[in-house]
Amino acid sequence: MGTKGREIVGMDVDHVVELLNRAFADEWLAYYQYWLGAKIVAGPMKEAVITELMEHAADELRHADMVSNRIIQLGGTPVTTPKRWFDLTNCGYDEPSDPFVRAIIEQNIKGEQCAISVYHALIGEVGFKDPVTYNMAVQILQDEVEHEEDLQGMLEDLTVMLKR
Ligand code: FE
Ligand code: FE
Ligand code: MG
């Protein structure tokens, strides 16, 4: 990366890269969980749920892109093999073994809540010591908060519908 851009980072750059690689692994696993969930989901409101899951999958892939760009800017290397995603992940991967809409939505809500905690902690740790990473993490956090809200809204609609 640019030497001045690296110099202004007021904390251990390798540590920031490590935190970002953990988030990077999370984003790929979240992407795949949404992508596969959209393929296999079954039950009421299926079409609306598929649309939402595919939108979120695209957002998670975009987050992976944002995080990897920042890793590279900091002179790091985005984790080079999917095998390591499970060593690094904060939020893990919830296998969608039950394709019912409620189960898929609940699993993804759990994933979003973990992502919100991870980016909130990252923002707290990095703060103004690394304003560029901070700004990126705030942008991603805004999306994750929106994702949680969307999914909880769909779960409410589904609950109302199933009660009738
Ligand atoms: Fe994300
Ligand atoms: Fe998300
Ligand atoms: Mg959405």
Side-chain angles (χ1 to χ4, degrees), residues 6 14 17-18 20-22 24 67-81 84 88:
R6 191 178 165 105
D14 292 340
V17 168
E18 194 200 315
L20 292 176
N21 257 320
R22 291 185 183 280
F24 181 68
V67 174
S68 66
N69 288 339
R70 184 57 184 154
I71 289 170
I72 290 164
Q73 262 187 357
L74 288 168
T77 306
V79 58
T80 48
T81 170
R84 291 214 60 220
L88 294 168

Side-chain angles (χ1 to χ4, degrees), residues 6-109:
R6 191 178 165 105
E7 196 185 298
I8 60 160
V9 178
M11 60 189 288
D12 180 15
V13 172
D14 292 340
H15 178 61
V16 179
V17 168
E18 194 200 315
L19 294 174
L20 292 176
N21 257 320
R22 291 185 183 280
F24 181 68
D26 288 333
E27 294 294 355
W28 273 107
L29 291 170
Y31 165 73
Y32 188 72
Q33 194 175 314
Y34 271 120
W35 183 89
L36 188 66
K39 296 287 172 199
I40 63 168
V41 71
M45 288 172 49
K46 190 182 132 178
E47 291 311 316
V49 173
I50 290 173
T51 301
E52 199 65 44
L53 296 177
M54 288 305 289
E55 275 176 22
H56 290 197
D59 286 340
E60 308 308 358
L61 191 59
R62 185 170 49 78
H63 296 163
D65 187 67
M66 291 164 74
V67 174
S68 66
N69 288 339
R70 184 57 184 154
I71 289 170
I72 290 164
Q73 262 187 357
L74 288 168
T77 306
V79 58
T80 48
T81 170
K83 278 185 185 169
R84 291 214 60 220
W85 291 348
F86 283 98
D87 301 331
L88 294 168
T89 180
N90 302 288
C91 296
Y93 177 78
D94 237 350
E95 183 182 353
S97 42
D98 178 356
F100 188 57
V101 275
R102 185 198 297 279
I104 298 281
I105 293 171
E106 281 173 350
Q107 282 182 323
N108 285 310
I109 289 172

Side-chain angles (χ1 to χ4, degrees), residues 70 119 122-140:
R70 184 57 184 154
Y119 285 105
L122 181 66
I123 288 162
E125 186 169 351
V126 166
F128 292 116
K129 295 189 288 286
D130 180 357
V132 178
T133 296
Y134 176 96
N135 179 53
M136 180 208 72
V138 169
Q139 288 180 48
I140 295 177

